Amino acid sequence: MDTIIVKGGQKLSGTVKIEGSKNAVLPIITASLLASKNKSNIKNVPRFSDVGILSELLSFIGADVNLKENELVVDATPKLNCNAPFHLVSQMRASMLVMGPLLARYGYCNVAMPGGCAIGSRPIDFHIKGFEKMGVQFTTKDGSYEGRIDGRLKAANIYLDFPSVGATQNLMMGASLAEGTTIIDNVAKEPEIVDLANYINAMGGKVRGAGTSRLKIEGVESLTGCEYTVIPDRIEAGTFMIAGAITRSEIRLENVMSEHLTALISKLEEVGIDIIQDGNDVIVKPMRSYKPIKVKTMPHPGFPTDLQSQMMALLTTVEGTSTITETIFENRFMHVNEFNRMSTDIEVDDNRAVIKGGTEMKGARVRATDLRAAASLILAGLVSDGYTEVTELKHLDRGYVDFHLKLRNLGANIERTGDVSDTTVLS
């Protein structure tokens, strides 16, 4: 079993370059299936496992996928197979996003129920209800959703009961080739939604309103593959900003769109960290004594749930009582038990965590419970006494590229090994 081993106590310094966005690149890769003409050349593609899984799924469907360095070329012009099987879809929730392009191009899909991190209930009812409004009839069989419509998807007025990112993306892709103009209200506003809309428009689509609560999508007859560069990953950037904050270290981040991180930056400044913007770089500069704060996760532009566990790691080092209220996923406090193995004092009451910070954390063997929890436990290990061993790295690899190497280049005492008993690799 692969394990990351951290010896705490090292200051960080230097520069780290942020990868392309995980949450943007996956729907953009999937949207390449909409292009019935020409290849798509997607740039700034991060090389983590979810990209590989999605590439395998697109290949199974019948697209020609070629990943080289940080560029991915997708040719979806051949006749596609509209079946997305369980053994691929179950590995990653974003696989559900093939539903929109397949329904849009062929009026049919057979997609297995999705998988991904077990961070809470993420029903796809919003996806299904939206497509039903566009004329699709669904049946469920053997753990799959089979949808069909005669002819093209039909324009509709759709209201989402919750601003679901996945449903917004899926319905946007379907509507881009629908007959007529589709209006979707109460949509997600995340930067990744805007990036997907920009990509569809670069292929010849007509999506308006991305970044607001209403999308207006005028369906076109066909879309054409194009060249496109994915935005930087705001969650990776936020993770490294917190790495600087938790170790009380000044570090520089390259390739950051700070306007995507206003909620995090505000909370870090409230704690006592200066965030200096220098063009496309961000400098993290701890300047004052830290103060406890209150955090509440919210849909964008609120505080991201994907940075909740990393912020919790930071607040365990801040003297006083901080609170985090999680409003997005009901199971996103599973990492608390792992933090408490490291001698933290965190109590959970329903969707609220109370963090009594400032006591010294102790290194321990802990288990990553999801993607972001993996990163947060490693961050906690950076400031813990002794060695911290983090297991279940399959979660980490879904969303971070060379995470331990980037931290090591900043000065962390960290190794990745398959032998969990061998801590002698660290000095």
Side-chain angles (χ1 to χ4, degrees), residues 34 96-97 99-101 103-104 124-134 136 138 153 156-160 162 164-178 182-185 187 196 200 207 215 217:
L34 292 166
M96 277 298 298
L97 296 180
M99 181 179 285
L103 287 170
I124 68 162
D125 295 5
F126 304 139
H127 306 238
I128 300 300
K129 289 178 181 178
F131 284 123
E132 286 178 338
K133 291 272 284 186
M134 299 173 77
V136 181
F138 283 96
L153 294 173
N157 292 328
I158 301 169
Y159 177 84
L160 298 179
F162 179 84
S164 161
V165 172
T168 300
Q169 292 166 337
N170 224 347
L171 295 171
M172 184 199 307
M173 288 188 283
S176 67
L177 291 176
T182 297
I183 304 293
I184 314 176
D185 281 308
V187 295
L196 176 61
I200 291 172
V207 181
L215 285 175
I217 306 151

Side-chain angles (χ1 to χ4, degrees), residues 28 41-44 194-196 198-199 202 226-231:
I28 283 173
N41 186 2
I42 306 166
K43 297 185 175 183
N44 199 29
V194 178
D195 212 29
L196 176 61
N198 289 340
Y199 177 61
C226 66
E227 184 174 293
Y228 192 81
T229 301
V230 178
I231 59 172

Side-chain angles (χ1 to χ4, degrees), residues 333-349:
F333 283 144
M334 292 190 296
H335 49 271
V336 169
N337 288 336
E338 304 305 309
F339 275 132
N340 285 341
R341 294 178 190 273
M342 303 173 72
S343 299
T344 63
D345 187 352
I346 307 171
E347 294 183 357
V348 174
D349 181 13

Side-chain angles (χ1 to χ4, degrees), residues 59-72:
S59 296
F60 181 91
I61 288 173
D64 183 14
V65 183
N66 183 19
L67 178 61
K68 185 177 181 181
E69 299 296 331
N70 293 103
E71 293 189 17
L72 185 72

Side-chain angles (χ1 to χ4, degrees), residues 106-362:
Y106 298 102
Y108 177 81
C109 72
N110 189 319
V111 180
M113 294 181 184
C117 286
I119 56 177
S121 176
R122 293 188 284 181
I124 68 162
D125 295 5
F126 304 139
H127 306 238
I128 300 300
K129 289 178 181 178
F131 284 123
E132 286 178 338
K133 291 272 284 186
M134 299 173 77
V136 181
Q137 293 185 334
F138 283 96
T139 58
T140 57
K141 182 179 180 181
D142 299 328
S144 294
Y145 292 93
E146 185 177 58
R148 64 176 71 244
I149 183 175
D150 292 331
R152 294 170 64 186
L153 294 173
K154 305 299 187 294
N157 292 328
I158 301 169
Y159 177 84
L160 298 179
D161 291 332
F162 179 84
S164 161
V165 172
T168 300
Q169 292 166 337
N170 224 347
L171 295 171
M172 184 199 307
M173 288 188 283
S176 67
L177 291 176
E179 185 178 320
T181 299
T182 297
I183 304 293
I184 314 176
D185 281 308
N186 197 32
V187 295
K189 304 174 185 177
E190 274 75 359
E192 297 81 14
I193 298 295
V194 178
D195 212 29
L196 176 61
N198 289 340
Y199 177 61
I200 291 172
N201 290 341
M203 291 193 292
K206 295 181 179 180
V207 181
R208 302 291 180 265
T212 74
S213 60
R214 167 176 277 200
L215 285 175
K216 182 178 180 180
I217 306 151
E218 182 182 342
V220 297
E221 290 288 339
S222 63
L223 293 171
T224 302
C226 66
E227 184 174 293
Y228 192 81
T229 301
V230 178
I231 59 172
D233 194 314
R234 63 190 173 104
I235 305 302
E236 185 193 19
T239 301
F240 278 100
M241 290 166 72
I242 294 172
I246 198 171
T247 58
R248 278 60 171 176
S249 304
E250 181 175 328
I251 62 173
R252 177 183 285 267
L253 283 63
E254 294 181 341
N255 191 34
V256 178
M257 298 183 73
S258 56
E259 62 267 30
H260 295 168
L261 288 159
T262 53
L264 172 66
I265 290 172
S266 176
K267 285 300 177 182
L268 289 177
E269 289 175 341
E270 190 178 337
V271 169
I273 300 107
D274 279 354
I275 305 297
I276 303 168
Q277 300 178 32
D278 182 15
N280 291 329
D281 291 3
V282 165
I283 301 167
V284 179
K285 194 171 185 180
M287 294 291 289
R288 304 177 291 275
S289 59
Y290 286 5
K291 299 177 182 178
I293 62 169
K294 296 179 180 179
V295 177
K296 183 178 183 180
T297 65
M298 295 287 286
H300 190 79
F303 192 91
T305 183
D306 279 355
L307 288 171
Q308 177 254 104
S309 60
Q310 299 92 310
M311 179 59 78
M312 184 179 289
L314 170 62
L315 294 178
T316 62
T317 71
V318 178
E319 187 172 348
T321 300
S322 297
T323 62
I324 297 179
T325 303
E326 173 61 52
T327 72
I328 309 298
F329 295 123
E330 71 273 15
N331 290 340
R332 201 142 204 188
F333 283 144
M334 292 190 296
H335 49 271
V336 169
N337 288 336
E338 304 305 309
F339 275 132
N340 285 341
R341 294 178 190 273
M342 303 173 72
S343 299
T344 63
D345 187 352
I346 307 171
E347 294 183 357
V348 174
D349 181 13
D350 194 20
N351 69 331
R352 183 170 176 264
V354 178
I355 304 135
K356 297 178 181 178
T359 58
E360 184 180 43
M361 284 190 286
K362 306 291 185 182

